[in-house]
């Protein structure tokens, strides 16, 4: 990845952003190239070039979106794991497009399931927040990658999640 000014990139759990600048700075007597990425909400991050190449990724392409589509449509068997274990596993998936799709798919299935007596299959508040965050990140990335609105992307995701 070139990381040129103007490139759209994804920075893990912070989501998509634009490379705003590449600057040379003197750090501890050494010249270093720093990549500045503007993220949503006025947030920006400055990463040394080697770290930027490691932690930034390009937006999804159509092949990646096709894979996301398949993940969203899959219906894995329900997990009997505790909410804490599911939460930890989901946390680890944030920032990866396929992981976001899995969080959305699994959370949506679980949220739609009828509540069981004495507990239930529903999401905990923290899982619900994780699902919301995953949807925002994936929706934003797909909307940017396809140059369509957030609303159109939300509708597309809902169609993928709908039972066949």
């Amino acid at each position: 990845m070139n990381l040129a000014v103007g490139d759209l990139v994804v920075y893990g759990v912070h989501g998509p952003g634009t490379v705003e600048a590449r600057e040379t700075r003197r750090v501890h007597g050494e010249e270093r190239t720093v990549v500045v990425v503007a993220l949503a909400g006025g947030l920006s991050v400055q990463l040394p070039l080697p770290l930027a190449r490691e932690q930034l990724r390009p937006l999804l392409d159509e092949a990646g979106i096709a894979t996301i589509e398949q993940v969203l449509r899959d219906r894995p068997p329900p997990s009997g794991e505790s909410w804490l274990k599911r939460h930890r596993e989901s946390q680890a998936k944030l920032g990866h497009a396929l992981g976001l799709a899995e969080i959305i798919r699994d959370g949506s299935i679980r949220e739609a399931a009828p509540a069981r007596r004495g507990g239930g299959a529903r999401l905990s508040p923290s899982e619900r927040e994780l699902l919301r965050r995953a949807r925002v990140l994936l929706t934003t990335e797909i909307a940017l990658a396809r140059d369509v609105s957030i609303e159109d992307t939300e509708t597309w995701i809902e169609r993928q999640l709908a039972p066949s």
Side-chain angles (χ1 to χ4, degrees), residues 70-155:
Q70 188 58 53
V71 168
L72 291 172
R73 288 179 176 210
D74 283 346
R75 293 292 172 251
S79 169
E81 301 294 341
S82 71
W83 75 266
L84 185 56
K85 183 169 183 177
R86 287 191 318 267
H87 185 73
R88 281 191 205 128
E89 289 171 353
S90 293
Q91 284 282 88
K93 294 176 182 179
L94 281 176
H96 306 284
L98 288 177
L100 294 172
E102 290 172 358
I103 292 169
I104 293 166
R105 176 200 61 205
D106 298 348
S108 296
I109 289 169
R110 197 163 188 80
E111 189 70 349
R116 290 183 300 188
R117 187 176 164 168
R122 300 267 171 157
L123 299 175
S124 70
S126 60
E127 287 177 302
R128 197 170 293 114
E129 176 56 26
L130 235 151
L131 173 59
R132 186 202 64 76
R133 181 74 180 133
R135 281 191 80 121
V136 166
L137 290 170
L138 190 62
T139 301
T140 304
E141 182 172 356
I142 292 173
L144 283 170
R146 286 190 159 167
D147 195 23
V148 298
S149 72
I150 294 291
E151 293 78 20
D152 288 346
T153 306
E154 277 288 342
T155 300

Side-chain angles (χ1 to χ4, degrees), residues 52-65:
R53 285 197 169 120
E54 182 181 308
Q55 294 191 0
L56 299 175
R57 65 174 175 80
L59 285 177
L60 286 167
D61 57 13
E62 280 304 318
I65 293 172

Side-chain angles (χ1 to χ4, degrees), residues 23-34:
E23 304 168 352
T24 302
R25 297 189 183 161
R26 191 167 215 55
V27 179
H28 300 294
E30 278 185 49
E31 294 285 319
R32 293 205 178 156
T33 301
V34 175

Side-chain angles (χ1 to χ4, degrees), residues 13-47:
V13 298
H14 298 289
T18 305
V19 176
E20 208 171 60
R22 278 179 73 142
E23 304 168 352
T24 302
R25 297 189 183 161
R26 191 167 215 55
V27 179
H28 300 294
E30 278 185 49
E31 294 285 319
R32 293 205 178 156
T33 301
V34 175
V35 175
V36 180
V37 179
L39 300 163
L43 181 66
S44 71
V45 64
Q46 301 173 20
L47 300 166

